[in-house]
């Protein structure tokens, strides 16, 4: 039987590289169809009234699976792992659930319900099979990875659901597997008070794991990951000659599951996420592992560019590889479509009733001073004018493995100083840019001393550089570097709505110590 694999007949897929599969999908399917081909959509509008649990049955004979090595394995031993959530384009009614299994399983599915003892019948999941052969003389390690995805639509706003994932031989509704159940909560229909968290440059480490646990303690409604997710490709150049170990993703998703199985993990694409083997632009791996909102300029070609709203905040994710002067592997990949979409989308969100704040996140920094990457002139040239045109409230980046926060910037200069603990108004003061790249990878350093809460060492100016067109470093002396902290850290943002909406922004070290805080209020 020729079973489709991510929209491609299996016999045909076996003869194709990931690059060829990518081209097949982009030419044979519509953009929306390619992303969602075979996706399971759960019509669960009636869940609050209670879903019928699966009827009790006699225990079936063990389901056996055939591993790639030819060994028959009991399906009950193929435990799902690496669960991670993401909102759909409408967080009030849509959730995407993704997970991994160690080898091919039969008939994967998800169950969902308003109570752990009242889960739905089986809702089919989509399988995305990713094959990595040994390449580049062994520099790229072989791996077989199986990712499962389920799209849940027509959910109720502001509602907590229980879910379990399984396959033949492993039923999450079985009493032996109830400990594998997870929960998620949809966005509320009306704005209230909530918290979201953010960082970039995570990887696999004890520091990354520690940050995850601190984030869970903030009880965030969602988490923004500004790219460089797991570092399976340590080079980050986006070239086909890069060394690469896909198995790092197995470690990463297992590490992150304790948070991402409950908190929507909204990622974008960093330079280390351009995994060149998987399709011409390097995004085949990202499309296999994540299901992100499909409302961006090109959901398949630029999976890290999309938007969503939560309460009174509009969030836009961008793929800065498209405009980076520093790392040009994918420079101009969208042909200008992403920047045109950004302009349009910012205008739409700013005009929408009920949206008080616009937050944009992406990888490469518009404004940073570290010795490693500093600022990317491509981002400044392409996007900063649009941020200012639409009065964006905050921009969050990674790329530099530190915490750094600017004053309120307008036209590349300080318009208003924002010391620790102060308030700023983007309608008149300019935009604050935050580099939150201390998620877990080895730290960088600054050309000036650290200056953070409890250890303030203000400098009138810092000599640094930005990467100009052509990749050259242009030295500049700047006055906007307000807070610098060399340490593992993350961002927590408490959002309030009402007559006086505000965002209270806090940076926390991995010890839980506060290293910065300030407030953004409009009007």
């Amino acid at each position: 039987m020729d079973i489709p694999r991510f929209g491609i007949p299996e016999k045909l897929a076996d003869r194709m590289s990931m690059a060829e599969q990518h081209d097949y999908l982009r030419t044979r399917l519509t953009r929306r169809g390619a992303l969602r081909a075979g996706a399971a959509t759960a019509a669960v509008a009636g869940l609050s009234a209670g879903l019928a649990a699966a009827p009790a049955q006699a225990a079936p004979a063990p389901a056996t699976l055939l591993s790639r090595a030819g060994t028959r394995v009991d399906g009950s031993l193929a435990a799902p792992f690496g669960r991670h959530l993401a909102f759909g384009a409408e967080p009030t009614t849509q959730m995407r659930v993704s997970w991994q299994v160690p080898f091919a399983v039969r008939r994967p599915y998800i169950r969902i319900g308003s109570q752990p003892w009242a889960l739905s019948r089986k809702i089919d999941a989509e399988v995305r099979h990713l094959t990595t052969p040994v390449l580049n003389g062994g520099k790229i390690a072989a791996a077989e990875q199986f990712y499962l995805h389920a799209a849940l639509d027509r959910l109720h706003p502001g509602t907590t659901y229980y879910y379990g994932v399984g396959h033949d031989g492993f039923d999450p509704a079985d009493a032996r597997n109830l400990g594998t159940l997870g929960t998620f909560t949809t966005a509320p229909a009306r704005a209230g008070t909530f918290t979201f968290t953010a960082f970039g440059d995570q990887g696999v480490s004890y520091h990354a794991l520690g940050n995850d646990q601190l984030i869970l303690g903030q009880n965030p409604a969602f988490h923004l990951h500004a790219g460089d997710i797991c570092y399976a490709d340590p080079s980050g150049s986006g070239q086909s000659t890069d060394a690469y170990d896909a198995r790092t993703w197995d470690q990463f998703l297992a590490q992150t599951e304790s948070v991402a199985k409950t908190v929507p993990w909204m990622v974008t694409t960093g330079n280390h996420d351009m995994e060149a083997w998987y399709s011409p632009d390097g995004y085949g791996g990202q499309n296999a592992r994540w299901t992100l909102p499909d409302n961006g300029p090109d959901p398949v070609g630029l999976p890290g560019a999309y938007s969503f709203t939560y309460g009174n905040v509009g969030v836009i994710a961008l793929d800065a590889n498209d405009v980076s002067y520093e790392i040009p592997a994918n420079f101009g990949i969208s042909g200008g479509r992403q920047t045109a979409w950004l302009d349009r989308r910012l205008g739409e969100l700013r005009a929408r009733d009920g949206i008080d704040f616009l937050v944009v996140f992406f990888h490469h920094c518009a404004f940073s001073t570290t010795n490693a990457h500093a600022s990317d002139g491509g981002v400044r040239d392409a996007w900063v004018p649009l941020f200012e045109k639409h009065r964006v409230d905050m921009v969050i980046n990674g790329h530099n493995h530190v915490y750094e926060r600017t004053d309120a910037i307008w036209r590349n200069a300080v318009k208003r100083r924002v010391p620790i603990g102060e308030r700023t108004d983007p309608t008149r003061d300019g935009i604050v840019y935050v580099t939150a790249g201390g998620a877990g990878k080895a730290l960088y350093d600054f050309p000036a001393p650290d200056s953070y809460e409890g250890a303030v060492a203000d400098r009138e100016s810092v000599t640094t550089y930005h990467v100009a067109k052509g990749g050259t470093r242009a030295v500049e002396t700047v006055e906007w570097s307000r807070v610098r902290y060399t340490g593992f850290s993350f961002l927590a943002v408490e959002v309030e709505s009402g007559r006086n909406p505000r965002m209270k922004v806090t940076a926390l070290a991995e010890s839980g110590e506060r290293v910065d805080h300030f407030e953004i209020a409009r009007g």
Side-chain angles (χ1 to χ4, degrees), residues 22 32 39 57 63 119 165 192 205 254 283 315 344 356 372-373 420 430 498:
H22 179 84
R32 177 177 293 271
Q57 298 178 348
L119 300 180
V165 298
S205 72
Y283 297 155
V315 180
R344 250 187 347 266
D356 295 313
H373 296 297
I420 294 168

Side-chain angles (χ1 to χ4, degrees), residues 359-370:
V359 174
V360 181
F361 75 107
F362 52 93
H363 189 62
H364 307 61
C365 295
F367 298 97
S368 184
T369 66
T370 74

Side-chain angles (χ1 to χ4, degrees), residues 254-336:
Q255 166 191 275
T256 309
E257 183 176 23
S258 62
V259 188
K261 70 179 181 182
T262 300
V263 178
W265 210 252
M266 310 303 294
V267 305
T268 189
T269 313
N271 58 292
H272 285 272
D273 305 317
M274 295 186 293
E275 299 170 345
W277 160 244
Y278 306 115
S279 78
D281 56 20
Y283 297 155
Q286 192 165 14
N287 279 317
R289 297 179 177 107
W290 306 89
T291 297
L292 298 165
D294 59 358
N295 59 359
D298 184 348
V300 174
L302 287 176
Y306 56 88
S307 70
F308 66 94
T309 61
Y310 191 103
N312 60 335
V313 177
V315 180
I316 292 183
L318 297 173
D319 182 351
N321 294 300
D322 185 26
V323 299
S324 172
Y325 291 162
E326 181 196 13
I327 302 170
N330 277 355
F331 182 80
I333 187 175
S334 78

Side-chain angles (χ1 to χ4, degrees), residues 27 72 75 118 131 154 160 173 318 334 340 358 412 417 419 495 498 513:
T27 56
R72 292 199 174 273
T131 299
R154 297 174 60 192
T160 297
L318 297 173
S334 78
L358 297 182
N412 293 347
R417 293 183 58 176
V495 182
E513 175 187 10

Side-chain angles (χ1 to χ4, degrees), residues 78 95-96 107 156 178-179 193 232 279 316 319 327 354 370 408 486 489:
M95 190 68 71
R96 283 36 182 146
R107 292 183 283 273
H156 291 294
L178 291 179
T193 298
S279 78
I316 292 183
D319 182 351
I327 302 170
T370 74
T486 306
S489 56

